[in-house]
Structure formats: C-alpha cells, structure tokens
Amino acid sequence: MANLSTEFLGIQSPNPFWLASAPPTDKAYNIDRAFSAGWGGAVWKTLGEDPAPANVCSRYSAHRDTHGRILGINNIELISDRPLQINLDEIKQTKKNWPDRALLVSLMVPCEEECWQRILNQVEATGCDGVELNFGCPHGMPELGMGAAVGQVPELITQVTRWCKQHTRLPVIVKLTPNVADIVQTASAAMAGGADAVSLINTINSITGINLDTMVGYPAVGNRYTSGGYCGEAVKPIALNMVGQLARHDATAKLTVSAIGGITTWRDAAEYLSLGATTLQVCTAVMLNGFKIVDDLVDGLSRWMDQKGYQTLSEFRGAAVASLTDWNKLDLTYKSIAHIDQSLCIQCGRCFAACEDTEHQAIAVQAADDGKERVFEVIAEECVGCNLCQITCPVEGCVTMVGSAGSGTRL
C-alpha cells in the first residue's frame, strides 16, 4: 500500500489532506471530529484581535449547473467571530490531543508590527506547528486594510512577512490571493519577506447571481448584497494554473506549496501534487459532503499510486512541471484527428452539432443500414484536432483523439 505520510516544513502528518482555514476549522469540536475521521492536518480558522468581528446573515450562496449541481460557493463570512482566548485555549488542547496531526493557525491583524508581534507570541504559546498569514479574504476585512488589501500589494506582503519571521520561531506560510494579475509577483514578495512556504489560492471575487424578483443578489442581507469569495470545484482550473506557474518560474520554483482550490476527488489531489504541491487543503468539498470524504481521498490516491508503482508522494511530486510551457513553444506540426468508436456511439449527435455549428464541419451524418438510424463519421481531411467532439460526447471512450508526432516546428 502506498505511503501517504507527508513532511511540510518539518511538520509531519499521516497524509497530505488538510482542512483549509474556514468554517469547518473554527473550533476544537470540529477539528477533533475531522482528525477522528482521518484528516492529516488542519489550519485553524483565521484569528484576529479582540473584539472579534460581527458576521452577517446570510453568508453563503451557490452557483449551480443547469441540472442543479453545485459548482461553487460564494461566501461573505469574516474571520473567527469567537473570542481570541477561547480559540487559543482550544488550539493548545487540540494539539495535545492530536500530536501526530499538523495544526497550523491562520492569522489576520492590522498592518502594524506590534499587532503581529502580540498575536504571534500568543499563538506560539499554544504549541501549534505553524502560522498561515491570511492575505487573501476579498470581502469585509479588506475594507479594514487587511486580507486581500495586503495580498494585492507586494510591498506589504514582504513587510508583514518579514515582521512575522522576526517575531516567531514557527514556520510562516503566506496564503496568496488569486485576485491579482501576476501570482509569481506576489509569491516572490512573500519569498522576499522570508516566507517558508505559500498556500494558494484564497477565494475569488464573485457574485453568484441575482434574484430577478427582488433585484438583489446572493447572498442577500436584507435588501443589500456585496461581492464575496468564490470557491469550490469551479475554481480548480484557476488554482491549478497558479500552482503550475509558480512551479515553472525560476524565481518561485523552489517554493514549498500547500495547494488549495476545488479539491474534491483523489484525482484533483494527484494533479496538484504532480505540479509540485506538498500538502492539499480542502474546504468546500467538506462543507458540502462532510468530513468522511477524506476516506475517498486517501483510498483513491493510495490505489492510484499502487497502480502506477509509486510508493511515496515524492516519487511523482512535480512530475507534470517539465511539460508545462509557453504557447509559442508548442509543436505547430503535431497533428491529431478525432476517431468515433461506432460500437459505443449512441447517435445523440452532439459531436455533429458541436463541430457543424462551431467552425469546422468535420463530422458527416449518414443514414445507417445496420439498424441504427444514423452514423456519424469524422472527415479526416477537415478535422483540425480541436477536441470539441470528444468534450461534448456523453459516452466515455466513444470519441478519441489519435495523434501523430510532428517535426517540432515552433514559432
């Protein structure tokens, strides 16, 4: 059986699956249950100074596909609204109860050195394993000069990170906001301040929808609404890209990364690991499905590693980085052509409609003489290998792309 044990900045955990700083990590009761379920670590929900902020009702809204399935969640919840000392006492006891699990604490206080020094001293006394600086929340706290207001200014990232490194012996992880034009720039700013690692991504600015009866967006707070932070499966491609860009850029390639963003299945986890991540933080999937999903994550990743012959995570960590490149370095002479397996085709015609009405008209429909009503066939000389027919086909394996090596010509 594959070994999923993980070391992150010297912090040991039995597996790479950690709960991200969020509502599921706001108290000992939750984290005790999560660790009992098998999670390898957790980042305690962001602590701030007393008095704790007041949250609003309501706080969450969802973005769904046309069948009603949730693709992502928007939230306008703030950092912990529990008194600081209660959180500190529970963190201390939780670490005593679970010495084999990673327990980090997320922090956010005003951009004043004495504020950071004060809370770092209090948090370090709990015996936790590290701190994560929350420079990403896009709602509520930026209006007070914190969260994304810091994460979008490289100079502030460097300054606050440097203060933290000076005032604690704990590993310092900087949580990055995706609401920037260049993630490499903000990650480099964290490195300049001495960050031991980065975690990404935090939530994305969003409005999930508008109630067309009331003309108020979601989540509604009375008759008002505001932009919130978007998370869940829908943000995975954005987060995966940002992790990949850090891994392939010379300035940030050596950064230790804790990946966050739409991790729902073991396959998501394997993809982030293949782009160099060391640990995997999960939130939305737990909020929607509960702590027990860790069983599927651990079991699925273990089974896949066994099939591939990987005994440890490090054997494939970063394996997909080398093939990630710029567009102008792709082979312009590489060709691929769609192939339809007629034995699997259900004659739905989605491939034909997509190809015919998009651009290429490379699929022909003909009357069948074998009992089927119609047959769809690829016109090889017209096919440009765009993959759209394969993407729209509802039958796995029915449409495949057959490639042939080119001469390697590039721009």
Side-chain angles (χ1 to χ4, degrees), residues 52-70:
N55 271 299
V56 297
C57 301
S58 56
R59 306 174 194 177
Y60 309 141
S61 63
H63 175 50
R64 302 173 185 269
D65 66 15
T66 55
H67 302 290
R69 181 172 173 272
I70 295 175

Side-chain angles (χ1 to χ4, degrees), residues 129-190:
D129 295 307
V131 293
E132 183 182 75
L133 313 185
N134 183 341
F135 293 162
C137 279
H139 50 269
M141 306 312 287
E143 288 86 338
L144 302 174
M146 295 179 272
V150 177
Q152 293 171 329
V153 182
E155 294 79 9
L156 286 179
I157 295 175
T158 300
Q159 182 181 55
V160 176
T161 304
R162 185 170 290 135
W163 289 340
C164 292
K165 286 297 295 179
Q166 290 171 348
H167 295 304
T168 183
R169 293 170 296 177
L170 294 171
V172 173
I173 297 92
V174 173
K175 188 171 184 177
L176 301 174
T177 173
N179 300 303
V180 294
D182 184 357
I183 196 70
V184 173
Q185 184 181 26
T186 50
S188 297

Side-chain angles (χ1 to χ4, degrees), residues 34-264:
F35 285 170
S36 295
W39 289 88
V43 183
W44 202 278
K45 182 170 179 175
T46 305
L47 307 184
E49 296 184 309
D50 285 332
N55 271 299
V56 297
C57 301
S58 56
R59 306 174 194 177
Y60 309 141
S61 63
H63 175 50
R64 302 173 185 269
D65 66 15
T66 55
H67 302 290
R69 181 172 173 272
I70 295 175
L71 299 174
I73 286 181
N74 167 302
N75 87 87
I76 55 172
E77 187 165 313
L78 303 181
I79 64 175
S80 176
D81 55 8
R82 306 168 74 223
L84 177 60
Q85 191 57 52
I86 290 177
N87 277 303
L88 295 172
D89 292 343
E90 291 187 2
I91 292 167
K92 187 174 184 178
Q93 188 59 49
T94 301
K95 187 58 192 175
K96 286 183 178 178
N97 293 344
W98 298 93
D100 66 327
R101 309 302 169 93
L103 186 60
L104 280 69
V105 178
S106 176
L107 300 175
M108 183 195 295
V109 294
C111 282
E112 299 171 12
E113 184 172 1
E114 57 270 26
C115 294
W116 284 99
Q117 182 176 10
R118 186 163 52 243
I119 199 165
L120 284 166
N121 289 339
Q122 293 172 293
V123 169
E124 189 169 314
T126 66
C128 70
D129 295 307
V131 293
E132 183 182 75
L133 313 185
N134 183 341
F135 293 162
C137 279
H139 50 269
M141 306 312 287
E143 288 86 338
L144 302 174
M146 295 179 272
V150 177
Q152 293 171 329
V153 182
E155 294 79 9
L156 286 179
I157 295 175
T158 300
Q159 182 181 55
V160 176
T161 304
R162 185 170 290 135
W163 289 340
C164 292
K165 286 297 295 179
Q166 290 171 348
H167 295 304
T168 183
R169 293 170 296 177
L170 294 171
V172 173
I173 297 92
V174 173
K175 188 171 184 177
L176 301 174
T177 173
N179 300 303
V180 294
D182 184 357
I183 196 70
V184 173
Q185 184 181 26
T186 50
S188 297
M191 292 180 68
D196 297 292
V198 294
S199 55
L200 67 161
I201 60 174
N202 209 308
T203 55
I204 302 172
N205 280 325
S206 63
I207 295 174
T208 53
I210 304 293
N211 183 324
L212 294 179
D213 293 322
T214 63
M215 290 299 171
V216 176
Y218 302 107
V221 182
N223 60 357
R224 296 287 184 95
Y225 68 105
T226 188
S227 300
Y230 192 47
C231 54
E233 288 183 58
V235 310
K236 176 192 156 189
I238 298 167
L240 205 60
N241 173 62
M242 290 187 168
V243 170
Q245 295 309 314
L246 294 188
R248 66 181 287 251
H249 197 287
D250 290 343
T252 52
K254 294 183 179 179
L255 258 175
T256 300
V257 171
S258 183
I260 313 166
I263 297 171
T264 306

Side-chain angles (χ1 to χ4, degrees), residues 357-377:
D357 294 351
T358 297
E359 183 179 8
H360 305 300
Q361 296 81 49
I363 294 179
V365 56
Q366 300 175 351
D369 57 6
D370 61 351
K372 291 185 177 180
E373 294 182 356
R374 51 187 181 173
V375 173
F376 298 94
E377 294 183 338

Side-chain angles (χ1 to χ4, degrees), residues 354-405:
C355 187
E356 188 74 9
D357 294 351
T358 297
E359 183 179 8
H360 305 300
Q361 296 81 49
I363 294 179
V365 56
Q366 300 175 351
D369 57 6
D370 61 351
K372 291 185 177 180
E373 294 182 356
R374 51 187 181 173
V375 173
F376 298 94
E377 294 183 338
V378 175
I379 306 170
E381 57 271 23
E382 298 294 337
C383 180
V384 300
C386 71
N387 299 358
L388 187 58
C389 56
Q390 184 186 41
I391 292 169
T392 56
C393 179
V395 181
E396 185 176 358
C398 179
V399 179
T400 54
M401 304 303 298
V402 181
S404 61

